[in-house]
Amino acid sequence: MSTEATAAETALAEQQARHIVYCGVCTLPPEYCEFGGTAKKCREWLENNHPDMHEKLYSEEAVAATLSTLSVDAQKRAAKDSQKKEAKAAAAEAKAAETKAQAQVLIKRVERNKRKYVTAVSGLEAHGMDLKKVAKEWGKKFATGSSVTKTASGGEEVVVQGDNSDEIFDWVVDVAGVPEANVDCIEDKKKKAT
Protein backbone atom coordinates (compact mmCIF):
# COMPACT_ATOMS: atom_id res chain seq x y z
CA MET A 1 0.00 0.00 0.00
CA SER A 2 2.79 2.40 0.84
CA THR A 3 4.56 1.74 -2.45
CA GLU A 4 1.39 2.63 -4.35
CA ALA A 5 1.07 5.90 -2.40
CA THR A 6 4.69 6.89 -3.04
CA ALA A 7 4.30 6.03 -6.74
CA ALA A 8 1.23 8.28 -6.94
CA GLU A 9 3.09 11.11 -5.17
CA THR A 10 6.04 10.87 -7.57
CA ALA A 11 3.66 10.87 -10.56
CA LEU A 12 2.02 14.07 -9.25
CA ALA A 13 5.41 15.67 -8.69
CA GLU A 14 6.41 14.90 -12.26
CA GLN A 15 3.24 16.48 -13.69
CA GLN A 16 3.98 20.01 -12.54
CA ALA A 17 2.85 22.77 -14.89
CA ARG A 18 5.55 24.19 -17.11
CA HIS A 19 6.32 27.88 -17.15
CA ILE A 20 6.63 29.03 -20.75
CA VAL A 21 8.13 32.41 -21.64
CA TYR A 22 6.61 34.24 -24.59
CA CYS A 23 8.39 37.00 -26.51
CA GLY A 24 7.13 40.51 -25.83
CA VAL A 25 7.68 41.51 -29.47
CA CYS A 26 6.31 38.68 -31.62
CA THR A 27 4.42 36.70 -28.89
CA LEU A 28 6.10 33.41 -29.88
CA PRO A 29 8.28 31.35 -27.56
CA PRO A 30 11.89 32.63 -27.84
CA GLU A 31 12.99 29.40 -29.52
CA TYR A 32 10.77 30.30 -32.51
CA CYS A 33 11.51 34.05 -32.76
CA GLU A 34 14.01 33.44 -35.55
CA PHE A 35 11.16 32.38 -37.85
CA GLY A 36 9.33 35.70 -37.47
CA GLY A 37 10.23 38.93 -39.22
CA THR A 38 11.42 40.69 -36.06
CA ALA A 39 14.30 38.44 -34.97
CA LYS A 40 16.62 41.33 -34.08
CA LYS A 41 14.05 43.09 -31.88
CA CYS A 42 13.10 39.77 -30.28
CA ARG A 43 16.72 39.05 -29.45
CA GLU A 44 17.13 42.49 -27.81
CA TRP A 45 13.92 42.00 -25.82
CA LEU A 46 15.06 38.58 -24.62
CA GLU A 47 18.46 39.95 -23.60
CA ASN A 48 16.85 42.72 -21.54
CA ASN A 49 14.05 40.70 -19.91
CA HIS A 50 15.41 37.12 -19.65
CA PRO A 51 19.24 37.18 -19.81
CA ASP A 52 19.55 33.54 -18.69
CA MET A 53 17.40 32.30 -21.58
CA HIS A 54 19.23 34.64 -23.98
CA GLU A 55 22.53 33.10 -22.88
CA LYS A 56 21.10 29.60 -23.37
CA LEU A 57 19.82 30.30 -26.89
CA TYR A 58 22.30 32.81 -28.32
CA SER A 59 25.63 32.10 -26.63
CA GLU A 60 28.55 31.32 -28.91
CA GLU A 61 28.53 27.67 -27.80
CA ALA A 62 24.81 27.27 -28.56
CA VAL A 63 25.12 28.89 -31.99
CA ALA A 64 28.21 26.82 -32.80
CA ALA A 65 26.44 23.62 -31.70
CA THR A 66 23.44 24.28 -33.93
CA LEU A 67 25.60 25.25 -36.89
CA SER A 68 27.82 22.18 -36.51
CA THR A 69 24.82 19.91 -37.15
CA LEU A 70 24.22 21.55 -40.55
CA SER A 71 26.08 20.80 -43.75
CA VAL A 72 28.23 23.48 -45.40
CA ASP A 73 25.56 24.23 -48.01
CA ALA A 74 22.85 24.46 -45.35
CA GLN A 75 25.02 26.83 -43.29
CA LYS A 76 25.46 29.12 -46.29
CA ARG A 77 21.73 29.06 -47.02
CA ALA A 78 20.88 29.74 -43.38
CA ALA A 79 23.23 32.74 -43.28
CA LYS A 80 21.83 34.05 -46.55
CA ASP A 81 18.22 33.60 -45.37
CA SER A 82 18.91 35.38 -42.07
CA GLN A 83 20.50 38.31 -43.92
CA LYS A 84 17.47 38.53 -46.22
CA LYS A 85 15.06 38.47 -43.27
CA GLU A 86 17.00 41.17 -41.42
CA ALA A 87 17.18 43.36 -44.52
CA LYS A 88 13.47 42.89 -45.18
CA ALA A 89 12.57 43.74 -41.56
CA ALA A 90 14.81 46.83 -41.61
CA ALA A 91 13.25 47.98 -44.91
CA ALA A 92 9.73 47.51 -43.55
CA GLU A 93 10.62 49.44 -40.39
CA ALA A 94 12.14 52.29 -42.42
CA LYS A 95 9.10 52.41 -44.70
CA ALA A 96 6.73 52.55 -41.71
CA ALA A 97 8.76 55.38 -40.15
CA GLU A 98 8.77 57.26 -43.46
CA THR A 99 5.01 56.98 -43.94
CA LYS A 100 4.45 58.08 -40.35
CA ALA A 101 6.72 61.10 -40.87
CA GLN A 102 4.85 62.10 -44.05
CA ALA A 103 1.31 61.47 -42.75
CA GLN A 104 -0.76 64.62 -42.43
CA VAL A 105 -3.39 65.26 -39.77
CA LEU A 106 -6.20 67.49 -41.08
CA ILE A 107 -8.33 69.45 -38.60
CA LYS A 108 -11.40 70.86 -40.36
CA ARG A 109 -13.83 73.29 -38.81
CA VAL A 110 -17.09 72.78 -40.66
CA GLU A 111 -20.01 75.21 -40.32
CA ARG A 112 -23.23 73.32 -39.63
CA ASN A 113 -25.70 76.17 -39.20
CA LYS A 114 -25.15 79.89 -38.90
CA ARG A 115 -23.34 79.70 -35.57
CA LYS A 116 -22.92 75.97 -35.06
CA TYR A 117 -19.68 74.21 -35.92
CA VAL A 118 -18.34 70.67 -36.10
CA THR A 119 -14.63 69.82 -35.97
CA ALA A 120 -13.55 66.87 -38.13
CA VAL A 121 -10.07 65.37 -37.67
CA SER A 122 -8.62 62.87 -40.14
CA GLY A 123 -5.22 61.20 -40.53
CA LEU A 124 -4.75 60.13 -36.90
CA GLU A 125 -4.67 56.39 -37.67
CA ALA A 126 -1.41 56.84 -39.61
CA HIS A 127 0.24 57.88 -36.34
CA GLY A 128 -0.85 54.72 -34.54
CA MET A 129 -3.84 56.08 -32.65
CA ASP A 130 -7.07 54.21 -32.04
CA LEU A 131 -9.78 56.52 -33.35
CA LYS A 132 -12.52 55.25 -31.02
CA LYS A 133 -10.37 55.85 -27.94
CA VAL A 134 -9.40 59.31 -29.19
CA ALA A 135 -13.07 60.18 -29.86
CA LYS A 136 -14.05 59.04 -26.38
CA GLU A 137 -11.23 61.02 -24.76
CA TRP A 138 -12.11 64.19 -26.70
CA GLY A 139 -15.78 63.79 -25.82
CA LYS A 140 -14.83 63.78 -22.13
CA LYS A 141 -12.23 66.54 -22.45
CA PHE A 142 -14.41 68.99 -24.35
CA ALA A 143 -17.72 67.88 -22.77
CA THR A 144 -19.30 67.40 -26.18
CA GLY A 145 -20.40 64.61 -28.44
CA SER A 146 -17.72 62.97 -30.55
CA SER A 147 -17.73 59.97 -32.85
CA VAL A 148 -15.82 58.14 -35.56
CA THR A 149 -17.40 58.45 -39.01
CA LYS A 150 -16.52 57.17 -42.45
CA THR A 151 -15.53 59.70 -45.07
CA ALA A 152 -16.59 59.70 -48.71
CA SER A 153 -13.07 58.61 -49.72
CA GLY A 154 -13.34 55.46 -47.60
CA GLY A 155 -11.23 56.61 -44.65
CA GLU A 156 -12.32 57.41 -41.12
CA GLU A 157 -12.34 60.65 -39.18
CA VAL A 158 -13.19 61.80 -35.68
CA VAL A 159 -16.05 64.32 -35.56
CA VAL A 160 -16.37 66.53 -32.47
CA GLN A 161 -19.31 68.86 -31.90
CA GLY A 162 -18.35 72.49 -31.50
CA ASP A 163 -15.43 74.64 -32.57
CA ASN A 164 -12.56 72.89 -30.79
CA SER A 165 -9.98 73.14 -33.56
CA ASP A 166 -7.41 75.07 -31.49
CA GLU A 167 -7.64 72.72 -28.51
CA ILE A 168 -7.47 69.68 -30.78
CA PHE A 169 -4.41 71.13 -32.53
CA ASP A 170 -2.68 71.53 -29.16
CA TRP A 171 -3.67 67.99 -28.10
CA VAL A 172 -2.44 66.42 -31.35
CA VAL A 173 0.93 68.19 -31.09
CA ASP A 174 1.48 67.81 -27.33
CA VAL A 175 -0.14 64.52 -26.33
CA ALA A 176 0.03 62.53 -29.56
CA GLY A 177 3.49 63.78 -30.48
CA VAL A 178 2.70 64.65 -34.09
CA PRO A 179 5.06 67.32 -35.47
CA GLU A 180 3.45 70.73 -36.04
CA ALA A 181 4.49 70.64 -39.69
CA ASN A 182 2.26 67.59 -40.20
CA VAL A 183 -0.89 69.19 -38.75
CA ASP A 184 -3.10 71.41 -40.93
CA CYS A 185 -6.12 73.43 -39.80
CA ILE A 186 -8.77 74.09 -42.46
CA GLU A 187 -11.97 76.09 -42.20
CA ASP A 188 -14.75 74.61 -44.29
CA LYS A 189 -18.16 76.13 -45.00
CA LYS A 190 -21.05 74.05 -46.19
CA LYS A 191 -22.68 75.34 -49.34
CA LYS A 192 -26.28 76.46 -49.11
CA ALA A 193 -28.79 74.26 -50.82
CA THR A 194 -30.37 76.07 -53.77
Side-chain angles (χ1 to χ4, degrees):
M1 197 84 153
S2 63
T3 58
E4 291 176 14
T6 55
E9 289 175 9
T10 56
L12 284 175
E14 290 175 8
Q15 294 180 355
Q16 291 292 326
R18 292 186 181 190
H19 177 70
I20 299 175
V21 176
Y22 291 100
C23 178
V25 178
C26 67
T27 67
L28 292 172
E31 294 86 6
Y32 297 101
C33 285
E34 64 184 278
F35 301 111
T38 58
K40 189 175 182 182
K41 285 184 181 179
C42 293
R43 191 171 180 176
E44 291 171 1
W45 179 87
L46 188 65
E47 186 175 12
N48 292 336
N49 296 315
H50 298 283
D52 54 334
M53 187 172 284
H54 180 269
E55 182 67 27
K56 179 181 157 189
L57 293 174
Y58 296 109
S59 68
E60 290 183 24
E61 298 89 25
V63 173
T66 54
L67 286 178
S68 66
T69 61
L70 298 175
S71 66
V72 176
D73 293 337
Q75 287 180 6
K76 289 179 182 177
R77 272 186 278 139
K80 196 176 189 181
D81 288 345
S82 67
Q83 287 176 349
K84 281 184 183 178
K85 281 184 182 179
E86 287 179 11
K88 191 174 183 180
E93 190 176 311
K95 186 176 180 181
E98 182 180 328
T99 56
K100 185 176 179 180
Q102 292 178 353
Q104 292 282 32
V105 176
L106 295 176
I107 302 173
K108 290 187 278 185
R109 188 180 94 161
V110 182
E111 186 176 350
R112 221 169 29 110
N113 287 337
K114 291 184 180 183
R115 292 178 295 163
K116 306 275 183 175
Y117 293 95
V118 173
T119 307
V121 184
S122 60
L124 292 173
E125 64 275 353
H127 292 279
M129 288 182 246
D130 185 11
L131 296 182
K132 289 184 179 183
K133 289 181 181 177
V134 170
K136 188 171 186 174
E137 184 176 339
W138 286 349
K140 290 177 183 177
K141 181 178 175 77
F142 305 128
T144 62
S146 63
S147 64
V148 178
T149 59
K150 295 191 186 275
T151 60
S153 62
E156 291 185 332
E157 66 183 4
V158 179
V159 177
V160 181
Q161 292 179 1
D163 180 15
N164 298 309
S165 55
D166 295 334
E167 293 89 356
I168 290 175
F169 180 86
D170 294 338
W171 187 91
V172 167
V173 171
D174 295 337
V175 178
V178 178
E180 280 189 45
N182 292 5
V183 182
D184 289 336
C185 289
I186 301 170
E187 186 163 341
D188 212 2
K189 290 187 178 181
K190 284 195 173 180
K191 296 178 182 174
K192 293 181 181 179
T194 55

